[in-house]
Structures are given as C-alpha cells and as structure tokens.
Amino acid sequence: MRVRILFLFCINPTTFTNLDSFRFQLFRCVVNCDIYQMEQLPVEVIGNILSHLKAARDVVIASATCKKWRFACCKHLHTLSFSSNDWQVYRDLTTTRLEILITQTILQISGLQSLSILMEDVDEFSASAVIAWLMYTRESLKQLFYNVKTMPNVNILEICGRHKLEILDLSHNSIVGVEPNYQRFPCLKSLSLSYVTISALDLNLLVSACPRIEALELVNPEIAMSDGQVTVELSSSTLKSVYVEAISLDKFVLEADGIECLYLKDCALEDFELIGKGTLKNFRIDDVSVIHIDIGEIVESLESVDISNFTIIWPKFYQMISRSLNLKRLRLWDVMFDDEDEVVDLETIATCFPNLSHLSLSYDVRDGVLHYGILGSTHLENVVVLELGWTVINDLFSQWVEGLLKRCPILKKLVIHGIVSEAKTDEECKMLANFTTSMIELMRRYTDVDPHFKFE
C-alpha cells in the first residue's frame, strides 16, 4: 500500500513548478515510499529532510504525513523560513493573523538553528511578537536572516548578542548605540547589512564586536554621520571577503590584514584605501566613481582583477597591479580612459603577467588607437580563454580580434560579446555582415579555438 501524503491533496499541482529540483525529487521519493520504509527512517533523518524544504508552509504540510514526522518537525528541524515571496497568502493575511501563524509555528519547534523571516511587502509587525520569536530561538540559533518592519524598532544586537549566531543578515533595520563589550558576537563569521541605518562609529564598533568575522556585506546603507564625520573606518584582522554596494562617502578606509576578496559596486567615493598585508586575491570594481583608490603596495597575491564600467587612468592602474606576477584573470569591461589617447597596453600585460590564463577586454576600439593597442611581439603564453566585446561595432573590431588571436598561441576558447540594436541602419547591417564573414575566415585559420558568440 502506497502512502497518499496529505500534502498531495493540499498543494496545488502548479506549485510543483515553483519548487527547486531537490524539493521536487524529495516529494516524488516520499510519495513513492511505502509505510514500512517511512516508519524505519530515523527522526534525525526526517528532520534533515524537512529542513531542506526550508519554507514554513512546505514544512508544516509535509510534517502532517504521520505522527513520527510531526515529532521530527518539533524536535529535529533545524532550518525554517517565512518569506512573503514563498506564499501569496502571507501578503493577504492581516498582520495580527500573520503574527499568530508565525508564533504558533516557531513555538512548536525546539533547537532551531537557522531562521529566516523576510517580509518585505507586509505591514509593520508588533515589536513584542518579533522579540518573542528571537528570545525563544536565540539559544540555539546559528543563522538569522531578518527583514521585518516593526514599530518600534527591535534591537537585534541586544537580543542575539553573546550567543551562537554565526550568520547575521539584516535588512531595513536601524542600528543605534552599539556597545561592543555587551553586544558581542563571539561566533559570528558573516555579517550582511542591507538598507540599514547606522552611524559610521557604530558600524566600526559592530565589526570590532565580531572577533571571528570573515565576510562583510554592505548594501545601500544609510550612514548617519555625527559631528560632521564623513569617513568610514573599518578594522578587522579576520575579514576575508568584503562586498560593498551603493554607498556614497567622502572617504572609506578598510584595514583588513587577511582580506582575500574585495568587491565594490555602484559606489561613489572620493577616496578609498585598503590597508592590508598583501593577502588580496580577488579585486573587483563595477560602476564605481572614485577619485583616489589605493589597495596597498603589497599585491603579489592578486589572482583576479575585474574592472567594469569604470574610468581608468592607465598609468596609475598599471602601477597599482604591476607587481601581481600571479595574476591569472584580468577583465577590463566597458572601461573608459581618462585620456582619450590611452589604450590597454597588451605588450605590458604580456610582459608583467606571465601566468595570465583568462583575459577579457571590452572598450571603444578607435582608429589610431588600434595599432598601438596590439603593438609588440610578446605572446600571452598561457591565455586559454579570451573574451572580447563591443558597445558599438565597427570595421576595426575584426582587426582587433585577429591581432589578439595572434598573441595567444595556446588559446582554446574565444567568446565574442556584442550589442545589436533592434532598429539597425543599412550601415550597421553591412558592418555586422562584414564582421560575420571575417570571423568565419578567421576561425578557419584557428581550428583549435572554440568560438562562442553572445549578443544582446
């Protein structure tokens, strides 16, 4: 006799298309499992199965399978998520009813390790309900993903500090008056703040209150400056990865002795300074406006540099990364030059980065600049992947591609990125046709190269 699980009748069949592959396969396995097999599963295993479902609605429905699954849900579930994107009903319920629903679910579970409450499109919750959820789970909680609007604001640091929390992801929250001696996170390894209001001083104190922090994400924070302070200074000896997006500051100083990955995106900074000990491996900039940038003098460990939508002063940029002899990946995409006569110097790249294996270039190829850009005889000996792109195609692009192919003797893969407008003039159609013809002829000469074309 096959088990006809309760949620087979409760979930709309179209819901299955929204489940990820794992959850769908899990559903099929459970439906096809006979009663004896299900009763033989240890409750710890059932708890792990339910934890992979994550979404509270799916967990509650699946736990209705039998008494043993309900027990596993209460005693061995370690991951639970409430998200307004998971179920439309969350948006339709009144806030009071939703608070009751979440409270009833959480209070039935003991030993919860990961809790996600993401209610972006829901009205304000009462602070007392949210405090009750956090107080009940904080002793065992290792991961908290929190995006809840409350009245008044809930002090997450005060409630969850000094416990086992390893990952803290806060959104649309206000952090005021950090006390590092009291609100300390001895186990925290990852901190993410999105659309959070916090002062520069409190941000520095918060990072300092996490002695084991390895990853920091700042997304569009509202930095509340006090006493005319326009500088954010962060210091941590354990930070390995820093991601900063949509931040506007006069000066940003990051002191991180062990940093390996740094990513700046959509930022407006007058001055950015990284103080480290030469451990940086991956450096990425995307759509950043900065007058002065300094990533330190010791850059020998750099393996990947990714610059896009950025204005480059080539001599300064080259000076910044020229000692990175271990550089394996260099991407300069949609870059502009401070001096219109400047261009990416391939001879310098080939000479200074002998271990380079992946090169990506996309910039305005202009007449008079093309020849200088491919001047030189030094080969890019280890480049196996070459990506080239254009914003406005012209007849020079094919010549540029050919010149670069000649410099890469062991190239295995060529990727051409292009933008093709919907409304094309006769001249644009002719250029595209000429480019296609030239690429066919070129690839006949480079039969060992695998070509790929990606058009937008």
Side-chain angles (χ1 to χ4, degrees), residues 142-262:
K142 293 184 178 181
Q143 301 179 8
L144 175 61
F145 303 87
Y146 179 90
N147 184 1
V148 182
K149 291 176 287 187
T150 61
M151 182 57 68
N153 183 62
V154 174
N155 192 331
I156 302 295
L157 306 185
E158 183 177 347
I159 298 173
C160 297
R162 308 172 309 284
H163 292 284
K164 300 178 181 179
L165 209 59
E166 297 178 2
I167 297 176
L168 178 59
D169 189 324
L170 293 182
S171 300
H172 297 96
N173 200 259
S174 180
I175 299 175
V176 181
V178 177
E179 300 178 18
N181 293 329
Y182 176 65
Q183 297 165 338
R184 192 169 179 82
F185 293 86
C187 302
L188 197 70
K189 295 182 179 180
S190 176
L191 174 64
S192 177
L193 304 177
S194 302
Y195 304 92
V196 168
T197 301
I198 188 171
S199 70
L201 176 60
D202 282 338
L203 180 57
N204 188 24
L205 291 174
L206 178 55
V207 172
S208 300
C210 307
R212 297 179 63 186
I213 188 171
E214 296 181 359
L216 174 65
E217 289 189 6
L218 300 175
V219 178
N220 199 14
E222 183 179 343
I223 305 295
M225 298 297 178
S226 59
D227 301 326
Q229 186 179 6
V230 294
T231 299
V232 168
E233 297 182 357
L234 301 180
S235 178
S236 172
S237 60
T238 58
L239 267 176
K240 294 182 179 180
S241 174
V242 175
Y243 174 84
V244 180
E245 179 181 349
I247 191 171
S248 180
L249 294 170
D250 289 342
K251 188 172 184 179
F252 190 173
V253 179
L254 175 62
E255 185 175 355
D257 292 343
I259 190 169
E260 297 180 359
C261 300
L262 175 61

Side-chain angles (χ1 to χ4, degrees), residues 43-92:
V43 289
E44 294 84 1
V45 173
I46 298 173
N48 286 332
I49 292 173
L50 294 175
S51 295
H52 277 87
L53 294 176
K54 295 183 180 179
R57 173 175 178 261
D58 297 338
V59 170
V60 171
I61 294 175
S63 66
T65 302
C66 61
K67 184 178 179 180
K68 189 172 184 178
W69 281 57
R70 287 194 295 273
F71 177 81
C73 178
C74 295
K75 301 297 182 181
H76 297 279
L77 183 74
H78 53 75
T79 302
L80 189 64
S81 171
F82 300 89
S83 174
S84 55
N85 295 324
D86 287 344
W87 195 19
Q88 178 63 38
V89 175
Y90 284 141
R91 298 188 181 95
D92 299 334

